[in-house]
């Protein structure tokens, strides 16, 4: 079993932020879509590897659906592909955004029925996710990950890591779209 970054010293969030800044190359980012996709793909891979998850993805909320835009998966044959979608009303992602579920669910199977989640969630162990918001506060969608086994070792520090990655993702998406990327003061 690989060791997790969360077991390191308290300064590891700074290390995590440094890795994200390196991937997103905060200086000199252009608006080239393929560059943005490569950066987000690298970011998702780092998140997946560091949190030891099976899948990490960016999902956009479009027309009452969560559309998978970018995915990093351990398996060669991914169970989800870019462009696949689910109705928002069925997703943990929507429940996280509207506050009905926490950002971290160590064992989805234990809470699936109580939260009205569809049967396909029976295959999940742990789920972790955070909203992806642009600097103006508007919602793009979510950055989420999951494993097929429950994960009691995931914690709030992992949620913080995911939040940092979501900020970097929003910045990359905003720059590619020609949006303002400065944070309001």
């Amino acid at each position: 079993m690989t060791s997790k970054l969360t077991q390191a010293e308290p300064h590891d969030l700074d290390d995590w932020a440094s890795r994200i800044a390196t991937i997103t190359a905060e200086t000199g980012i252009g608006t080239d879509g393929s560059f943005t996709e490569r950066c987000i793909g690298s970011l998702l891979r780092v998140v997946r590897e560091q949190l030891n998850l099976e899948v990490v993805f960016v999902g956009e909320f479009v027309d009452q659906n969560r559309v998978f835009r970018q995915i990093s998966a351990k398996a060669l044959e991914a169970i989800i592909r870019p462009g696949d979608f689910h109705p928002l009303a069925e997703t943990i992602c929507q429940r996280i955004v509207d506050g009905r579920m926490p950002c971290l669910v160590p064992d989805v199977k234990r809470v699936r029925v109580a939260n009205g989640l569809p049967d396909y969630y029976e295959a999940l162990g742990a789920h972790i996710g955070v909203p992806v918001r642009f600097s103006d506060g508007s919602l793009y969608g979510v950055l989420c990950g999951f494993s097929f086994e429950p994960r009691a070792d995931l914690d709030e520090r992992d949620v913080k890591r995911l939040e940092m990655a979501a900020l970097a993702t929003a910045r990359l998406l905003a720059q590619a779209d020609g949006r303002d990327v400065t944070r309001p003061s």
Side-chain angles (χ1 to χ4, degrees), residues 50-147:
Q50 291 298 310
L51 299 184
N52 195 26
L53 297 168
E54 299 295 325
V55 176
V56 173
F57 65 87
V58 173
E60 182 180 11
F61 289 4
V62 180
D63 298 327
Q64 300 303 308
N65 291 299
R66 181 215 37 225
V67 181
F68 296 103
R69 293 299 183 201
Q70 285 205 281
I71 301 159
S72 175
K74 277 186 183 178
L76 293 175
E77 183 79 22
I79 63 167
I80 54 176
R81 290 176 291 286
D84 288 354
F85 64 92
H86 292 111
L88 275 174
E90 294 181 359
T91 67
I92 291 176
C93 301
Q94 178 63 54
R95 286 164 175 78
I96 288 170
V97 169
D98 66 25
R100 288 182 287 156
M101 287 186 77
C103 292
L104 175 59
V105 181
D107 189 351
V108 173
K109 293 173 196 163
R110 297 185 78 181
V111 300
R112 186 187 68 76
V113 173
N115 284 279
L117 295 169
D119 290 343
Y120 59 81
Y121 279 102
E122 188 67 30
L124 293 191
H127 186 283
I128 185 169
V130 296
V132 174
R133 292 189 185 278
F134 294 117
S135 62
D136 66 2
S138 62
L139 180 67
Y140 174 83
V142 290
L143 174 58
C144 294
F146 60 85
S147 65

Side-chain angles (χ1 to χ4, degrees), residues 159-175:
V159 172
K160 293 290 184 209
R161 286 184 181 84
L162 209 58
E163 288 170 347
M164 285 187 238
L167 286 170
T169 299
R171 183 181 179 93
L172 288 165
L173 291 167
Q175 286 176 320

